[in-house]
Amino acid sequence: MTVLPARTVSVAIDRPWDEVNAYLSVPENFPAWASGLGRNFRADGDGFLVDGPDGSWHVRFTPPNPYGVLDHDVTAPDGTRTHNAMRVIPNGDGCLVMFTLLRADGVTEEKFTADAAWVQRDLQALKSLLETATA
């Protein structure tokens, strides 16, 4: 059994957690802030096709739920699937959005660090988007 190294990246957002959870529960909202997930979302069966760096990727999201679970699986054109654990939790009058990045076999520490920095930039974009949006 192999346990992959992990890093959790997070951002505090000054909006009620249930509003953030509702926004993030709509997959079509991801392209507005998640640059690392791909472009050109198109419905496809139980998920979406997105344009990734090397072709069409399939993304399947956890159904909307009242628990703040926002997991999604991304399948690359070669069939490699990555499970992405994402959560939104109450934090005072706002919330904390957390994304756990798993370091796959063969990924260097430098690439893993760069991926975590990309996720952090995307979460900062989410924070900016939601904190400046009208309620």
Side-chain angles (χ1 to χ4, degrees), residues 12-71:
I13 298 179
D14 189 14
R15 290 291 294 265
W17 90 272
D18 56 337
E19 288 180 14
V20 174
N21 186 51
Y23 177 82
L24 291 173
S25 294
V26 178
E28 292 86 351
N29 289 335
F30 273 66
W33 63 272
S35 67
L37 192 55
R39 300 174 320 282
N40 193 21
F41 271 50
R42 309 172 296 288
D44 179 58
D46 65 347
F48 293 82
L49 285 178
V50 299
D51 294 336
D54 56 355
S56 291
W57 295 55
H58 187 263
V59 183
R60 190 172 60 87
F61 293 87
T62 300
N65 63 80
Y67 308 110
V69 176
L70 303 162
D71 293 4

Side-chain angles (χ1 to χ4, degrees), residues 40-126:
N40 193 21
F41 271 50
R42 309 172 296 288
D44 179 58
D46 65 347
F48 293 82
L49 285 178
V50 299
D51 294 336
D54 56 355
S56 291
W57 295 55
H58 187 263
V59 183
R60 190 172 60 87
F61 293 87
T62 300
N65 63 80
Y67 308 110
V69 176
L70 303 162
D71 293 4
H72 49 284
D73 290 338
V74 179
T75 305
D78 69 2
T80 303
R81 187 180 67 142
T82 303
H83 180 76
N84 298 288
M86 188 171 172
R87 303 288 186 273
V88 58
I89 62 169
N91 180 3
D93 292 331
C95 67
L96 188 67
V97 176
M98 302 179 302
F99 185 99
T100 299
L101 187 65
L102 300 176
R103 182 176 163 190
D105 290 336
V107 173
T108 66
E109 181 60 33
E110 293 76 20
K111 172 75 169 123
F112 189 52
T113 298
D115 288 348
W118 192 328
V119 170
Q120 187 66 59
R121 282 190 305 273
D122 280 354
L123 291 179
Q124 285 300 130
L126 175 67

